[in-house]
Amino acid sequence: MPFCSFFSLRSFKSPLFLRRWISRLALLFLITACSAPYHPSNQIYDKKTATSLFSQGFDYVTEYYIDEIDVSRLALAGLDNLSTIDPDVEILDSGNALTVSYDGVPLSRYSYPDNLNSRSWALLTASAIESVKQQSPDFQQATGEQIYLAVFDGVVGELDRFSRYSAPEQATNNRDSRNGFGGLGIRYVKEEQGAHIISVMENTPAESVGLKAGDIIIEVNHSDIRKLSEDSITHLLKGPENSRVSLTVLRKEAESSLKQQQLTFEVTRQRIVIQTITYTPHDNIAYIQISGFNKSTTTSLRSKVRKAQKEMGKNLKGYILDLRNNGGGLLSEAISAADLFIPSGTLVSTRGRHPDSHQYNDAHSTDFAQGLPVIVLVNAYSASSSEILAAALQDSERAIVVGSNSFGKGTVQKVFELPNRSEIAVTWARFHAPSGYAIQGRGIIPDICTTRSNTRTVDDVIAQLKSGTLPISSETRTLSLLPEDEDALEKLKATCPQSAQPSDLEEDVAEMLLTTPALLSLAKGELERGKAREIADESVEVNAQLPEAVQ
């Protein structure tokens, strides 16, 4: 299974970087193992079912989408996309009626409804498809799900790029990622011998029965799985909560031995919520990687912060929250994660067309990190909920953000389940940082930029901090621009060019700031610029305090 490593060979000189790389690799396998492509079911297209499905979908979009949109536009776009199933299907719009043609021959004509009623337009859509099925061999062979997918792909094509339709199987995977699923708690990769367990999650059924990383599953419920696909194996391993499954595994008799023993485990499935938090202690710094936001993220984050405090006690210097390549997730979890560190003030606000989309979220907790410094790492693939967390911590002056300009995905999607167990996610609001700017299209501008042409080493960052060219000013970072003003946005984003590749420099800078109080104070703007010379005079002494990796 190919994968891309984001780390240079130098990374492997440090045990900390090696552990980070392994955790990211394990996550890659988890995603690969738990994701299943969409396979259309054998369900036959039914006009009544289709009408109900289209009607609900049209209703959700017209009521909640961030911009007002006509249901007729959605229906016509859905019908026009039927040509993806059979290119000979053509929908002709004459302004007050549409004509359905096949291979150039008109089949039927439908007058437009007198009102913008979703049910009426859904019935028109379903009826038009029914007439196509009578002539098109491709439609006669297509399942209902394939036809629904074509229609809804056309519908969401009229919306922004973050609105989407997920067919039933993919929608199930989406729900599993957000809310959990009945499973065992293992990460595995399919190999010729079987399902090779890469890691066992903490506090899961797999851990409780003694399954270990390195075990190779060869049978599930006494059936050989070695010739099955990864998707089929995942389907067998998942199941209802409290149901039992028997696993037969191969395990090395000793670490250096080639001999394998065969073991059988009886495991009771429980709800598994994919772990999004990885914690590594290093030189009295708590390195915490957040890969996404699901319903367990804040609980797990709180647990890791508490663990760091217990392990390092008064020696704990601070926290690095790594949000690089974090594509987002549940809005509520990003807000509650920010609330762990911010004792008061606004965390985020959302605004859209629907009245319910206007929300203001304030901090209402205590600082769980007890005031210790926090460094946040971001890059071009830090998006959505990760940008909410980064902006809240930055604007509240609770954290220093290090890295490159983030993705700029500043919209909120509302997810609706449709009668066929599919999902339609509709963009219904834009979110704004506590200082007021809209994140959409602009992203988060870091305090400490590591992607400028003159920034190659930690010493470069130190020099810029001393000269006053870093941190980037708050006036620049919080500049409010319209998402439509593309030229101004590009100019702003150029102040810290995006990079999709996590680098050692970002982590080195974070560790340097947490181990050198004077430079941290400069990064936070707590020292007067006139005192930068004093720090410069002590450069040898300051550099002597830096971790070996950044010398």
Side-chain angles (χ1 to χ4, degrees):
M1 179 181 299
F3 66 93
C4 296
S5 171
F6 294 125
F7 304 95
S8 66
L9 291 175
R10 187 184 76 82
S11 301
F12 291 96
K13 297 178 183 178
S14 162
L16 172 62
F17 286 111
L18 180 60
R19 288 194 295 271
R20 293 173 187 168
W21 182 82
I22 290 173
S23 69
R24 286 166 179 148
L25 178 59
L27 177 64
L28 171 68
F29 287 126
L30 168 65
I31 294 171
T32 304
C34 291
S35 298
Y38 169 56
H39 297 294
S41 69
N42 294 321
Q43 180 184 356
I44 298 172
Y45 175 82
D46 173 70
K47 181 179 175 181
K48 182 178 179 181
T49 300
T51 301
S52 176
L53 186 66
F54 298 151
S55 178
Q56 285 196 34
F58 293 164
D59 267 340
Y60 290 140
V61 174
T62 54
E63 182 175 356
Y64 290 97
Y65 186 56
I66 193 167
D67 297 319
E68 190 169 359
I69 192 164
D70 196 320
V71 66
S72 61
R73 177 178 162 188
L74 302 178
L76 292 173
L79 286 168
D80 191 56
N81 205 49
L82 295 176
S83 60
T84 58
I85 297 178
D86 188 337
D88 289 329
V89 175
E90 187 175 12
I91 307 295
L92 303 175
D93 177 11
S94 60
N96 59 1
L98 67 81
T99 301
V100 181
S101 297
Y102 183 73
D103 199 16
V105 179
L107 299 179
S108 53
R109 185 175 186 276
Y110 300 92
S111 297
Y112 291 164
D114 294 332
N115 54 47
L116 297 179
N117 180 277
S118 291
R119 178 78 182 179
S120 300
W121 280 95
L123 180 59
L124 183 153
T125 303
S127 299
I129 293 170
E130 192 75 21
S131 67
V132 169
K133 279 182 63 66
Q134 296 175 11
Q135 296 296 323
S136 168
D138 289 340
F139 270 80
Q140 290 165 10
Q141 295 175 11
T143 66
E145 294 298 344
Q146 287 174 315
I147 295 173
Y148 304 149
L149 180 62
V151 171
F152 279 109
D153 276 352
V155 168
V156 298
E158 295 298 298
L159 312 179
D160 73 319
R161 63 191 177 118
F162 299 116
S163 298
R164 67 186 183 276
Y165 172 80
S166 299
E169 189 164 348
Q170 182 57 54
T172 298
N173 288 335
N174 295 344
R175 288 187 284 269
D176 287 350
S177 295
R178 293 193 300 265
N179 306 319
F181 53 89
L184 312 179
I186 62 172
R187 295 174 171 91
Y188 79 92
V189 61
K190 174 69 170 63
E191 294 179 351
E192 186 175 349
Q193 273 193 291
H196 184 175
I197 298 177
I198 299 299
S199 65
V200 177
M201 300 181 201
E202 297 176 357
N203 304 315
T204 60
E207 183 186 57
S208 67
V209 300
L211 284 166
K212 298 179 179 180
D215 289 347
I216 300 173
I217 303 172
I218 59 173
E219 292 183 358
V220 177
N221 288 333
H222 310 294
S223 296
D224 194 322
I225 64 165
R226 283 171 284 194
K227 293 184 179 180
L228 296 182
S229 68
E230 195 171 76
D231 294 338
S232 298
I233 294 171
T234 297
H235 181 74
L236 290 175
L237 294 176
K238 288 182 177 181
E241 292 181 56
N242 299 316
S243 61
R244 294 179 64 82
V245 60
S246 175
L247 303 181
T248 303
V249 307
L250 298 178
R251 176 181 293 174
K252 285 185 178 181
E253 292 184 357
E255 195 65 33
S256 59
S257 173
L258 296 178
K259 293 183 179 180
Q260 294 176 313
Q261 55 182 324
Q262 185 168 302
L263 304 171
T264 300
F265 295 89
E266 298 292 328
V267 192
T268 300
R269 298 181 180 96
Q270 297 296 333
R271 177 160 293 274
I272 303 298
V273 180
I274 295 173
Q275 294 175 356
T276 59
I277 304 290
T278 303
Y279 158 66
T280 306
H282 177 70
D283 287 346
N284 292 319
I285 293 172
Y287 174 88
I288 299 175
Q289 183 186 20
I290 307 176
S291 60
F293 294 87
N294 62 22
K295 67 180 296 184
S296 73
T297 297
T298 302
T299 300
S300 181
L301 178 58
R302 184 186 294 107
S303 173
K304 299 306 182 186
V305 170
R306 184 182 289 114
K307 184 176 182 181
Q309 293 169 342
K310 184 177 180 180
E311 286 181 349
M312 289 177 265
K314 293 181 179 180
N315 294 321
L316 179 59
K317 296 174 183 175
Y319 303 86
I320 298 174
L321 301 183
D322 189 349
L323 300 178
R324 294 172 299 176
N325 293 349
N326 180 326
L330 296 178
L331 171 64
S332 59
E333 288 295 311
I335 293 170
S336 57
D339 200 20
L340 288 180
F341 300 91
I342 302 171
S344 62
T346 300
L347 301 175
V348 69
S349 62
T350 61
R351 309 167 201 172
R353 180 170 63 93
H354 195 281
D356 291 346
S357 70
H358 294 262
Q359 298 176 8
Y360 298 85
N361 299 96
D362 294 327
H364 60 270
S365 186
T366 58
D367 181 357
F368 198 71
Q370 300 175 354
L372 286 175
V374 178
I375 309 296
V376 175
L377 305 183
V378 298
N379 71 348
Y381 288 154
S382 302
S384 191
S385 292
S386 63
E387 293 177 293
I388 290 175
L389 177 55
L393 291 169
Q394 185 184 54
D395 278 3
S396 66
E397 300 183 352
R398 185 61 188 87
I400 299 293
V401 177
V402 175
S404 77
N405 178 218
S406 63
F407 187 86
K409 195 274 187 184
T411 57
V412 185
Q413 283 66 49
K414 197 171 182 66
V415 181
F416 301 96
E417 185 173 329
L418 297 174
N420 63 338
R421 297 280 291 165
S422 65
E423 288 182 346
I424 187 165
V426 178
T427 295
W428 81 316
R430 293 185 179 92
F431 54 78
H432 294 250
S435 57
Y437 67 85
I439 292 172
Q440 177 63 24
R442 80 186 291 284
I444 309 301
I445 307 296
D447 299 273
I448 307 297
C449 181
T450 58
T451 56
R452 291 171 171 172
S453 59
N454 63 345
T455 308
R456 303 290 184 188
T457 67
V458 172
D459 285 340
D460 293 336
V461 173
I462 293 173
Q464 292 171 50
L465 282 170
K466 292 173 182 177
S467 68
T469 56
L470 284 178
I472 297 173
S473 70
S474 61
E475 290 79 8
T476 297
R477 291 189 291 97
T478 61
L479 187 63
S480 186
L481 298 171
L482 294 174
E484 299 79 22
D485 193 347
E486 295 182 3
D487 291 340
L489 285 171
E490 289 305 313
K491 184 177 179 180
L492 174 64
K493 289 157 66 174
T495 60
C496 188
Q498 287 186 326
S499 173
Q501 198 167 23
S503 74
D504 298 338
L505 176 59
E506 294 148 0
E507 298 168 17
D508 292 345
V509 168
E511 292 179 17
M512 176 269 291
L513 292 173
L514 292 178
T515 54
T516 359
L519 293 176
L520 179 64
S521 295
L522 269 182
K524 295 167 72 173
E526 293 177 348
L527 287 183
E528 296 177 12
R529 286 297 163 201
K531 294 189 177 182
R533 181 176 299 277
E534 297 175 24
I535 296 175
D537 292 340
E538 300 170 2
S539 59
V540 175
E541 194 172 322
V542 170
N543 287 334
Q545 299 176 28
L546 300 182
E548 182 180 350
V550 301
Q551 293 292 326

